[in-house]
Amino acid sequence: MGTRDGCASAAQVWVRRLLGRVVLGPQMQHLGHVRDVVAHRRATGASVTGVIVDVGGHRSFVTAAALGDLQRAPLVLRAFSTRPARSRRPGECLLVQDALGRPIMTGATAAPSRIGDIALRRTPSGWVVWAADTRGAVARLLGARRRLVGWDALGMRTLVAPAVGFPCRYTASEEEAIRWRGRSDCR
């Protein structure tokens, strides 16, 4: 059964709703708040590998295996498994830092859209990145229906401003040329 925005809500959560969520340890001790979601892009899609939690002003990485149910608030860890946030591994991206607000070309319109939210869906193997909501900020505030683009399809689309961990159709030299073309101070 679908919800008002056309998505089944039984086993999915939106990244914006995770941000700032309280994180508790296994003995219900307050650890911090969710700041970002870490995903690893594979050929079959992107899977959630963990979350970044602000613990007393320090960023810590909590593995997906230690996470409880992402749909419940507060987020309770199954096991105390935090460690300082590390540098990214190849293929990893931070969904909030790298994707939210990122302009993309969806093909549905001539103008670029922005990623307003990202849906995570539970599968038997864990949480995966499922879709991106590309409706505008005003439409989101007015409660308009979500405009979804599948995450797998998004990898094949051109990002207007490529981010770390996202494949794009431009080479490094083309990206540099695009960046310079967009500047008004270039002659």
Side-chain angles (χ1 to χ4, degrees), residues 32-120:
H33 298 88
V34 175
R35 295 296 176 223
D36 215 326
V37 178
V38 182
H40 186 270
R41 187 178 283 277
R42 296 190 171 105
T44 58
S47 59
V48 174
T49 58
V51 295
I52 302 294
V53 178
D54 185 3
V55 180
H58 300 284
R59 301 248 168 167
S60 296
F61 174 76
V62 177
T63 65
L67 294 174
D69 188 4
L70 292 180
Q71 293 176 303
R72 294 185 180 241
L75 181 60
V76 180
L77 301 183
R78 287 186 219 138
F80 190 74
S81 175
T82 63
R83 60 180 185 246
R86 58 186 171 27
S87 60
R88 295 185 205 187
R89 295 178 182 164
E92 276 188 347
C93 64
L94 300 175
L95 295 179
V96 174
Q97 181 179 325
D98 297 336
L100 278 184
R102 182 72 53 193
I104 59 168
M105 297 296 288
T106 62
T109 62
S113 300
R114 291 190 179 273
I115 298 174
D117 207 347
I118 299 170
L120 306 177

Side-chain angles (χ1 to χ4, degrees), residues 16-22 32-35:
R16 282 192 184 274
R17 291 192 182 146
L18 281 176
L19 293 180
R21 187 172 286 178
V22 172
H33 298 88
V34 175
R35 295 296 176 223

Side-chain angles (χ1 to χ4, degrees), residues 3-40:
T3 62
R4 189 178 82 121
D5 54 16
C7 303
S9 61
Q12 83 177 20
V13 66
W14 292 92
V15 169
R16 282 192 184 274
R17 291 192 182 146
L18 281 176
L19 293 180
R21 187 172 286 178
V22 172
V23 178
L24 301 176
Q27 284 77 38
M28 304 305 278
Q29 69 273 30
H30 184 275
L31 295 178
H33 298 88
V34 175
R35 295 296 176 223
D36 215 326
V37 178
V38 182
H40 186 270

